[in-house]
Amino acid sequence: MLGKLSAITAMEKILRERYSPVSRDEEENLSDAIESLLARINDRRKTTQSILDETMRMIHRSFDFQYISILLRDNDGIYRYKVATGVSDISKKTLLSICLSEADLLDQSTYPSTSISNITKFFMSENEPYRPGEEMAFSRPKMLSRIRESPDDMLEGDFIEFFFRNRSNKIIGFIEAADSRNGKLPKRGTIIWLELIATLLGAILCDRLEG
């Protein structure tokens, strides 16, 4: 049995070691990165564009995707891509020229998808989830016909969208991710973290995009 002073000393040592603010693993690093991002972008002085840019760069640094973009609904009700990284200049130009209506976002005939959750959809290359001419939005359009050798491969033409909504549950935008660095589908934890980021981003942008 420990004496009083020995118990206090031992307990303090455990507390310092177990709950140290220094990150110990990937999950804690991601938590720290998201907390830091939230502190930076939750500032009324920040422009919407700078919020999107910082969010995109944080995701690109922290997760296993080479391509990240974010789309928002403008005041005219049309959805447009605002930022993108991990694509060629030609692809980015095509991407930023795309205009989508609300009906387009939900059009399974043109953009067939598989729902992962109520805010996340996966678009498979085999279903050709793009309109004629939008192939050039992909960095390697010649690889869009590549055959999937394993069910967990992630191909050119595969992409994931993480929707965020306003208080009326209307879609105000989404984060789009593709081109995993290891060529495989993302881990379950990656999806959960990105859903959290999308939800936080929607909460921060909600008032700015009302109307």
Side-chain angles (χ1 to χ4, degrees), residues 161-173:
E161 291 179 350
F162 302 87
F163 292 86
F164 44 93
R165 294 174 166 84
N166 61 14
R167 296 183 185 89
S168 302
N169 206 37
K170 185 180 183 67
I171 296 171
I172 56 176

Side-chain angles (χ1 to χ4, degrees), residues 3 5 36 66 74 98 120 124-125 132 140 147 152 178 189 209:
L5 290 179
S36 176
Q66 298 186 81
D74 285 328
I98 293 174
T120 304
M124 285 183 272
S125 178
R140 297 167 295 178
I147 302 299
D152 66 343
L209 302 178

Side-chain angles (χ1 to χ4, degrees), residues 32-42 54-55 58 197:
D32 287 348
I34 292 171
E35 184 178 350
S36 176
L37 173 69
L38 185 59
R40 294 195 308 274
I41 66 176
N42 193 20
E54 287 197 45
T55 302
M58 177 269 169
I197 293 172

Side-chain angles (χ1 to χ4, degrees), residues 36-52:
S36 176
L37 173 69
L38 185 59
R40 294 195 308 274
I41 66 176
N42 193 20
D43 183 342
R44 295 299 301 181
R45 295 171 296 179
K46 289 274 188 180
T47 65
T48 297
Q49 190 68 27
S50 67
I51 288 173
L52 298 179

Side-chain angles (χ1 to χ4, degrees), residues 3-148:
K4 183 176 181 179
L5 290 179
S6 296
I8 291 173
T9 301
M11 188 64 177
E12 286 179 342
K13 183 174 185 295
I14 289 175
L15 292 173
R16 283 194 300 270
E17 292 177 351
R18 184 171 297 180
Y19 305 114
S20 167
V22 178
S23 300
R24 293 187 175 185
D25 56 30
E26 181 182 2
E27 292 294 301
E28 290 187 5
N29 285 332
L30 288 172
S31 179
D32 287 348
I34 292 171
E35 184 178 350
S36 176
L37 173 69
L38 185 59
R40 294 195 308 274
I41 66 176
N42 193 20
D43 183 342
R44 295 299 301 181
R45 295 171 296 179
K46 289 274 188 180
T47 65
T48 297
Q49 190 68 27
S50 67
I51 288 173
L52 298 179
D53 190 61
E54 287 197 45
T55 302
M56 176 192 70
R57 286 190 278 112
M58 177 269 169
I59 295 172
H60 190 251
R61 285 194 308 268
S62 302
F63 295 93
D64 187 33
F65 294 108
Q66 298 186 81
Y67 162 78
I68 298 292
S69 67
I70 304 178
L71 171 149
L72 285 183
R73 177 172 57 87
D74 285 328
N75 290 333
D76 60 1
I78 299 299
Y79 297 82
R80 297 178 176 89
Y81 288 88
K82 301 299 182 181
V83 293
T85 189
V87 291
S88 67
D89 290 342
I90 293 176
S91 298
K92 188 173 183 178
K93 183 177 180 181
T94 302
L95 193 69
L96 296 180
S97 71
I98 293 174
C99 297
L100 301 171
S101 66
E102 185 174 15
D104 290 331
L105 291 187
L106 306 175
D107 183 2
Q108 284 289 320
S109 62
T110 303
Y111 301 104
S113 64
T114 300
S115 292
I116 295 175
S117 72
N118 63 331
I119 65 171
T120 304
K121 292 185 177 182
F122 191 97
F123 297 78
M124 285 183 272
S125 178
E126 290 88 345
N127 289 328
E128 300 181 4
Y130 42 82
R131 295 180 295 199
E134 291 179 354
E135 299 93 335
M136 295 307 297
F138 297 93
S139 284
R140 297 167 295 178
K142 292 182 179 180
M143 295 184 67
L144 289 174
S145 59
R146 181 182 168 190
I147 302 299
R148 195 181 305 272

